[in-house]
Amino acid sequence: MDRTPRFYMALSLLAAVVTMGIKFVGYLITGSVGLFSDAAESTANLLAALIGLWAVRLAARPADEEHAYGHTKSEYFASGAEGTLILAAAVFIIVEAIPRLFHPQPLEQLNWGIVFSVAGAAINGGLALLMLQAGKRLRSVTLQADAHHLLTDVWTTVGVLVALVLVLFTGWLILDPLIALLVAANIIRVGLGILHSAGLGLLDTALPPDDLERIQEALEPFQRQGVAFHALRTRRSGSRSFASLHVLVPGDWTVQRGHALCEEIELAIDQAVPGCAAMTHLEAREDPAAWNDQGFDR
Ligand SMILES: [Zn+2]
Ligand SMILES: [Zn+2]
């Protein structure tokens, strides 16, 4: 079963609509600020899923004249928007919870509130686990960001549930806004994390160490044959990645032989790190000029 990122984002959209409805009804029945904050976050889910759907559709478009390196970076826009939306939801929760610290509101129909919370958390939790797996398998940062977002929703709901149950047993109404504030703090933590990784992607950060190690391993057989390498540079672009490197061979090789080797190296890198497009630059090993061109500014 090989589903596309689009399928998962559409699923996320559907789940956001359902959980948003469930939680708003729960809030209207109970008046719990915890459930309200939960519902507010689901609204953020809905927007995030719409943006994510757009991003994965754009990312799937093949490279063209105007975007010769593909469209996969669009996923960083989506995860950036996702992080921003989560932070907005957290601010919303804080604004709603603080007045209730000083003027706790009575909660009604707590049993129903608990039922609605559990239903919402079950949907989000199941979907988050599914999307986390799919996000890793499809190397989609949008799916991974959405999954982390959904997981914070589950924690939000767990917090709300704990608050509702505690209020039910103790009658301490202040627990509802207090736990809502804790939930907001957790949402801020996750939101900043998502923004951070989106920023690293937009900044053309090098591939992670384990990918770099795999590239080094792929180059080793060539090095044993006397071929040298330098100026290896890498960057990630959503589900794709790019590497460039200089290939140093004996100067008396024919152009044809050198090119054939470069093709082999590019293929080996693509096999070591799936989706990695490598570009090589052929040089004569004995030529000093070949060794003086490793700076970043050239
Ligand atoms: Zn070629
Ligand atoms: Zn060089």
Side-chain angles (χ1 to χ4, degrees), residues 58 61-73 240 242:
L58 184 57
R61 289 223 312 237
D64 52 38
E65 278 295 317
E66 222 179 328
H67 301 96
Y69 293 95
H71 300 83
T72 43
K73 263 197 174 178
R240 299 181 74 195
F242 296 93

Side-chain angles (χ1 to χ4, degrees), residues 259-260 262-263 266 280:
H259 178 252
C262 285
E263 294 277 308
E266 288 168 14
T280 51

Side-chain angles (χ1 to χ4, degrees), residues 1-70:
M1 190 178 61
D2 213 17
R3 304 213 188 268
T4 62
R6 260 169 85 172
F7 167 81
Y8 290 101
M9 287 316 298
L11 203 61
S12 176
L13 189 68
L14 184 70
V17 173
V18 173
T19 53
M20 198 174 73
I22 289 176
K23 288 168 182 175
F24 266 118
V25 171
Y27 162 63
L28 289 177
I29 292 177
T30 61
S32 153
V33 67
L35 268 174
F36 172 80
S37 57
D38 219 358
E41 232 209 298
S42 294
T43 316
N45 288 9
L46 186 66
L47 277 171
L50 279 171
I51 297 170
L53 197 57
W54 164 80
V56 294
R57 284 184 64 162
L58 184 57
R61 289 223 312 237
D64 52 38
E65 278 295 317
E66 222 179 328
H67 301 96
Y69 293 95

Side-chain angles (χ1 to χ4, degrees), residues 95-149:
V95 167
E96 193 67 20
I98 284 178
R100 299 220 186 187
L101 283 176
F102 306 104
H103 310 284
Q105 303 285 315
L107 303 182
E108 288 144 30
Q109 310 259 12
L110 282 186
N111 302 341
W112 278 111
I114 292 169
V115 169
F116 283 112
S117 281
V118 171
I123 294 173
N124 280 334
L127 185 62
L129 294 180
L130 195 70
M131 291 189 62
L132 210 55
Q133 279 181 346
K136 284 192 183 129
R137 184 162 39 87
L138 300 166
R139 294 193 307 273
S140 166
V141 284
T142 310
L143 292 194
Q144 287 177 35
D146 207 49
H148 283 123
H149 179 175

Side-chain angles (χ1 to χ4, degrees), residues 71-234:
H71 300 83
T72 43
K73 263 197 174 178
S74 67
E75 294 210 48
Y76 296 124
F77 295 128
S79 52
E82 184 119 30
T84 311
L85 281 167
I86 304 185
L87 290 179
V91 171
F92 204 49
I93 294 170
I94 291 169
V95 167
E96 193 67 20
I98 284 178
R100 299 220 186 187
L101 283 176
F102 306 104
H103 310 284
Q105 303 285 315
L107 303 182
E108 288 144 30
Q109 310 259 12
L110 282 186
N111 302 341
W112 278 111
I114 292 169
V115 169
F116 283 112
S117 281
V118 171
I123 294 173
N124 280 334
L127 185 62
L129 294 180
L130 195 70
M131 291 189 62
L132 210 55
Q133 279 181 346
K136 284 192 183 129
R137 184 162 39 87
L138 300 166
R139 294 193 307 273
S140 166
V141 284
T142 310
L143 292 194
Q144 287 177 35
D146 207 49
H148 283 123
H149 179 175
L150 288 171
L151 278 178
T152 63
D153 283 20
V154 175
W155 283 113
T156 303
T157 309
V158 169
V160 171
L161 270 177
V162 169
L164 290 184
V165 171
L166 285 177
V167 170
L168 199 59
F169 284 104
T170 63
W172 296 343
L173 291 172
I174 199 166
L175 286 172
D176 184 37
L178 267 184
I179 291 182
L181 286 175
L182 275 181
V183 161
N186 180 52
I187 294 174
I188 289 173
R189 185 183 63 83
V190 174
L192 289 178
I194 292 176
L195 276 184
H196 182 240
S197 53
L200 289 182
L202 288 174
L203 271 178
D204 281 344
T205 304
L207 291 181
D210 47 330
D211 280 346
L212 291 177
E213 217 165 282
R214 258 175 244 136
I215 292 180
Q216 289 299 348
E217 276 166 25
L219 295 179
E220 264 165 34
F222 299 102
Q223 282 165 325
R224 281 198 291 272
Q225 294 165 30
V227 179
F229 300 98
H230 62 221
L232 172 67
R233 277 153 216 177
T234 60

